[in-house]
Amino acid sequence: MAIIFGIVGGGWRAEFFMRIVRALPDQFTVSGVVVRNEEKGRAFEEQWGVPTFRSTEDLLKQTTPSFVVLSVPVSQTPELIKQLVREGVPVLSETPPAADLEQLNLLYQDIGPDAKVQVAEQYAFQPLHAARIAIVQSGLLGTVSQAQVSAAHGYHGISIMRSLLGIRFENAQIRGFGFSSPIISGPNREGNPAQEQTAISNQVIAHLEFGDKLGVFDFTGDQYFSWIRSERVLVRGNKGEINNTRIAYLQDFRTPIQLELRRLNAGENGNLEGYYHKGILAGDKWAYRNPFQPGRLSDDEIAIATCLQKMGEYVQGGPSFYSLAEAAQDHYLGMMITQAVKSGETVQTIKQSWATF
């Protein structure tokens, strides 16, 4: 049976959810979308074939979604979360759930830990990140003490880092700095470059020390679309490491083993199964298998679909998969990195209202 959900917001991010529904109609259905501007609403209906409403109240009066996805500016998110929680409607909020530290604490204190709220932080569910996290959790690398992540900005990158390190709400000492350099402009949300232009690439590098564990954050916004700036991930444990797609570990103290994380797609090199992602192999074992094959989805869409699937299970009594507390913690650490970069001083994080152990 398909998971039925509503959406508040009809912008660029909402279209990711719509592409997933179009690719996987047997698994997901959208009951309606709140688009406050009538003209934009009609255009959205024409493009995606779903009803739109001018208010959240109308969406809930006329449809019965299992949960509502919030895909709105962060300035609107806290009040909408509180409104839906009061009405007993489970919420899957886009990131971040609130703009600053004060609002994060106020939101958490207002709705409490038992409210049916999760956050659509998808990066840890992207196939390659999910494969790395699964390998770490399998114990193959032993005790992990370091994760260097250059894959996503702010709270997104930190969510991957925390998953790799096994960190929850532990405090950190943070040092950071920024670095700017020229780059030839590449594609962006609007498409490919029309001409050669030189822009300034702004990089943030930070060290987060969680006691005996180290996180290294490194990101420049060009990486999301760039043809010449790629992600880099290094995870180190006492028995092995993952360096991008290479795994090196000790079978015993005299026997080193090396494996490659190998991506498998259908539809390549003459294969006639259709074009879709199958999964990621580590040697002869699956480190990750795409649960949405044969849907033709990008890695980010697979990850968002995973959030939707997990949210469907959560509202039926399943486990939390990325709580408001986790989202608040990642956003808080991201803000503290910014503070460390601006001040040039070491920043010490402190326990916030949502920090449970």
Side-chain angles (χ1 to χ4, degrees), residues 33-351:
V33 180
V34 176
V35 183
R36 301 196 184 280
N37 180 283
E38 189 168 344
E39 184 177 347
K40 290 181 179 178
R42 286 198 300 269
F44 197 95
E45 290 178 4
E46 280 188 27
Q47 182 177 3
W48 298 107
V50 297
T52 64
F53 303 89
R54 304 301 154 251
S55 70
T56 306
E57 292 81 3
D58 286 342
L59 170 70
L60 297 177
K61 283 178 185 175
Q62 298 183 49
T63 74
T64 54
S66 295
F67 59 89
V68 169
V69 171
L70 295 184
S71 185
V72 296
V74 68
S75 59
Q76 301 173 24
T77 303
E79 287 306 315
L80 280 167
I81 290 176
K82 287 187 279 189
Q83 175 191 342
L84 290 164
V85 167
R86 284 194 299 268
E87 295 179 12
V89 179
V91 179
L92 179 60
S93 171
E94 275 275 28
T95 55
D100 56 37
L101 183 57
E102 180 183 11
Q103 290 184 60
L104 285 170
N105 275 296
L106 288 173
L107 174 61
Y108 189 80
Q109 291 161 9
D110 191 302
I111 67 172
D114 298 324
K116 280 286 187 181
V117 177
Q118 298 285 289
V119 178
E121 175 52 65
Q122 79 273 24
Y123 278 80
F125 300 130
Q126 288 182 359
L128 187 52
H129 295 314
R132 293 175 178 129
I133 291 166
I135 289 165
V136 167
Q137 292 177 346
S138 76
L140 189 68
L141 308 184
T143 301
V144 170
S145 58
Q146 183 177 157
Q148 300 183 24
V149 177
S150 179
H153 76 274
Y155 42 84
H156 293 310
I158 293 166
S159 73
I160 300 168
M161 180 189 297
R162 277 200 313 109
S163 296
L164 292 168
L165 288 174
I167 291 293
R168 297 196 67 226
F169 304 105
E170 290 87 340
N171 284 325
Q173 286 191 328
I174 302 175
R175 298 188 298 275
F177 67 95
F179 179 73
S180 297
S181 59
I183 187 172
I184 302 299
S185 296
N188 55 33
R189 288 187 183 186
E190 282 68 53
N192 294 338
Q195 59 188 20
E196 181 176 317
Q197 288 185 317
T198 298
I200 297 299
S201 177
N202 296 308
Q203 185 175 8
V204 171
I205 302 173
H207 288 190
L208 295 83
E209 295 182 35
F210 302 93
D212 60 354
K213 295 188 177 185
L214 172 66
V216 180
F217 174 91
D218 178 1
F219 191 68
T220 168
D222 311 291
Q223 289 177 230
Y224 282 131
F225 289 92
S226 180
W227 295 320
I228 57 173
R229 295 288 185 266
S230 57
E231 73 171 41
R232 303 178 311 288
V233 174
L234 173 67
V235 189
R236 285 183 166 165
N238 66 321
K239 294 181 180 179
E241 73 172 23
I242 302 171
N243 186 357
N244 288 333
T245 59
R246 175 183 165 275
I247 306 168
Y249 70 98
L250 295 175
Q251 190 175 70
D252 57 54
F253 74 97
R254 293 182 300 183
T255 312
I257 305 294
Q258 293 189 5
L259 302 173
E260 278 291 321
L261 290 171
R262 188 162 63 91
R263 183 185 183 96
L264 267 68
N265 294 330
E268 296 182 340
N269 301 316
N271 177 270
L272 299 179
E273 292 178 82
Y275 191 72
Y276 58 90
H277 177 53
K278 287 189 169 185
I280 295 174
L281 283 170
D284 62 351
K285 295 182 175 61
W286 289 103
Y288 171 84
R289 298 194 76 167
N290 176 15
F292 303 108
Q293 51 186 302
R296 190 169 181 174
L297 301 173
S298 70
D299 284 6
D300 203 48
E301 290 162 353
I302 289 170
I304 295 169
T306 303
C307 290
L308 290 172
Q309 183 185 64
K310 288 180 178 292
M311 187 66 184
E313 295 167 356
Y314 173 72
V315 299
Q316 295 297 323
S320 168
F321 60 94
Y322 189 76
S323 65
L324 178 60
E326 291 179 276
Q329 183 71 8
D330 287 336
H331 193 21
Y332 170 50
L333 291 174
M335 289 185 284
M336 293 302 98
I337 287 175
T338 300
Q339 181 178 318
V341 170
K342 288 182 177 179
S343 69
E345 299 176 352
T346 299
V347 172
Q348 175 67 55
T349 67
I350 58 175
K351 185 176 179 180

